[in-house]
Amino acid sequence: MIAIIPSAGLGTRFLPFTKSVPKELVPIMGVPSIQYIIKEACSNDITSFCIVINKQKTALKQYLTIDNALNTELKKKNKLFLVEEINNIIEKCTIQFIDQYAPLGLGHAVLCARELSKYNEPFVCIMLPDELLFDDQHEPTLLKEMHELAQQHTASVIAVKEVPLSQTASYGIIKANSLPNTKNCFLVNQVIEKPNPLQAPSRLAIIGRYVLEKDIFDVLPTVSAGSGGEIQLTDGIAALIDKGKKVIAYQYAGNRFDVGSPQGWLDANIFINNKQKKS
Ligand code: UTP
């Protein structure tokens, strides 16, 4: 399965920092968020990536490319270990970059990776680089579990987590019934992008991990601009449901941090710092 990592947003919640540095490079205890995302994917046996970027994100491309001159200098100083993890990731993964010419929304960014639909694999994984997931003991196996569910039910699977009612306007929120004979799974009958608390059908928010049937590439072109004037992935998922496609929500029990906001970024730093102290 290929993972699409949409990274062409403006990152307004992290301005002015994101004026010149892509938010995917915001460090959490010294390691850029994109590195955590790719590590999580690798732990779930995903090693092929399509990163959707724009002209301002060249530093992201640079970070995910081997720097021979830097390696040579570090080697001389016996400090190559400092870039060992990122070098290993780059060497073992296939990473391609696709341009989104304007920030027209997450749904549009995913559509930019449509070329991928020509591959045989029936599902595509989407990972949002500003949503970091950490289990207490080990790397999250969420994507593997979602992929298994998707295959078992011939369905698209989206990860969800409960948020306080006061925060529903920041998320895609689902309306769903529990899926018989499963644990933590729901059959989704409606998804709404950023509903206010009075209109939210539940507190279950979509949290940036998706394993979608490739039909998503067929329905996204039919979606018109929604919340914020952008083409929303949530509206694409709603279109899949309207088409009679099965969409399952899988509730993630681990820790999730929205590192696209300064508060979430701070919380993630504290969490990782505590985790490192314990180990
Ligand atoms: P966000 O809603 O977090 O938007 O996008 P953003 O622009 O990154 O950040 P804020 O809200 O203004 O602070 C969710 C994901 O979708 C990508 C973003 O890069 C992020 O990973 N995205 C969003 C795109 O790739 N293209 C877009 O046009 C919009």
Side-chain angles (χ1 to χ4, degrees):
M1 197 167 45
I2 288 183
I4 301 174
I5 307 181
S7 307
L10 295 176
T12 54
R13 286 169 300 151
F14 234 116
L15 280 169
F17 179 76
T18 41
K19 185 168 172 274
S20 58
V21 183
K23 82 170 167 183
E24 296 73 20
L25 294 183
V26 168
I28 292 93
M29 293 306 291
V31 176
S33 63
I34 190 77
Q35 191 163 326
Y36 289 99
I37 292 288
I38 298 185
K39 254 174 77 177
E40 180 196 324
C42 290
S43 307
N44 286 271
D45 300 332
I46 298 173
T47 54
S48 291
F49 299 92
C50 174
I51 304 187
V52 184
I53 55 169
N54 59 35
K55 300 266 180 300
Q56 279 76 45
K57 303 260 178 165
T58 46
L60 182 55
K61 213 169 177 175
Q62 193 182 345
Y63 188 74
L64 294 171
T65 305
I66 293 281
D67 184 337
N68 288 321
L70 176 67
N71 288 349
T72 308
E73 285 312 309
L74 290 174
K75 207 170 182 176
K76 279 188 214 158
K77 298 179 194 312
N78 275 332
K79 287 188 174 172
L80 198 55
F81 66 94
L82 292 172
V83 288
E84 200 176 354
E85 185 176 85
I86 185 62
N87 281 349
N88 286 343
I89 283 176
I90 297 168
E91 270 159 14
K92 104 166 169 200
C93 296
T94 308
I95 304 177
Q96 48 179 322
F97 296 90
I98 289 187
D99 247 12
Q100 184 186 23
Y101 57 87
L104 299 178
L106 173 57
H108 181 263
V110 169
L111 199 51
C112 291
R114 191 181 191 167
E115 272 287 281
L116 297 179
S117 56
K118 66 180 184 224
Y119 295 109
N120 284 337
E121 164 67 41
F123 300 102
V124 62
C125 167
I126 300 162
M127 303 176 79
L128 299 196
D130 49 4
E131 300 263 4
L132 296 191
L133 307 183
F134 298 113
D135 283 355
D136 286 327
Q137 307 299 336
H138 45 75
E139 287 288 329
T141 51
L142 178 70
L143 288 174
K144 226 184 236 175
E145 291 157 30
M146 289 169 69
H147 192 200
E148 277 163 18
L149 267 173
Q151 287 172 311
Q152 210 178 328
H153 294 268
T154 318
S156 292
V157 181
I158 57 181
V160 295
K161 196 164 173 69
E162 262 187 2
V163 295
L165 195 59
S166 59
Q167 290 179 16
T168 57
S170 304
Y171 296 94
I173 301 287
I174 65 163
K175 181 174 180 222
N177 304 320
S178 48
L179 190 67
N181 307 319
T182 57
K183 225 174 119 195
N184 303 327
C185 292
F186 303 88
L187 188 60
V188 183
N189 34 59
Q190 204 185 352
V191 283
I192 307 176
E193 184 64 18
K194 302 189 170 78
N196 69 45
L198 289 175
Q199 275 147 2
S202 76
R203 293 198 291 126
L204 288 172
I206 304 174
I207 56 161
R209 298 292 181 276
Y210 310 77
V211 173
L212 301 181
E213 288 193 273
K214 289 260 180 80
D215 304 63
I216 192 68
F217 293 117
D218 300 329
V219 296
L220 275 173
T222 68
V223 167
S224 37
S227 172
E230 296 185 344
I231 295 171
Q232 298 292 351
L233 182 58
T234 306
D235 294 336
I237 294 168
L240 281 180
I241 297 171
D242 287 347
K243 218 178 141 189
K245 290 281 169 183
K246 205 185 223 183
V247 176
I248 292 172
Y250 185 48
Q251 191 166 5
Y252 177 59
N255 306 284
R256 167 200 162 262
F257 299 94
D258 173 6
V259 297
S261 74
Q263 183 62 57
W265 170 82
L266 181 62
D267 295 343
N269 274 280
I270 294 168
F271 178 86
I272 293 290
N273 187 34
N274 287 338
K275 202 173 168 179
Q276 286 172 352
K277 273 193 216 152
K278 277 189 216 153
S279 62

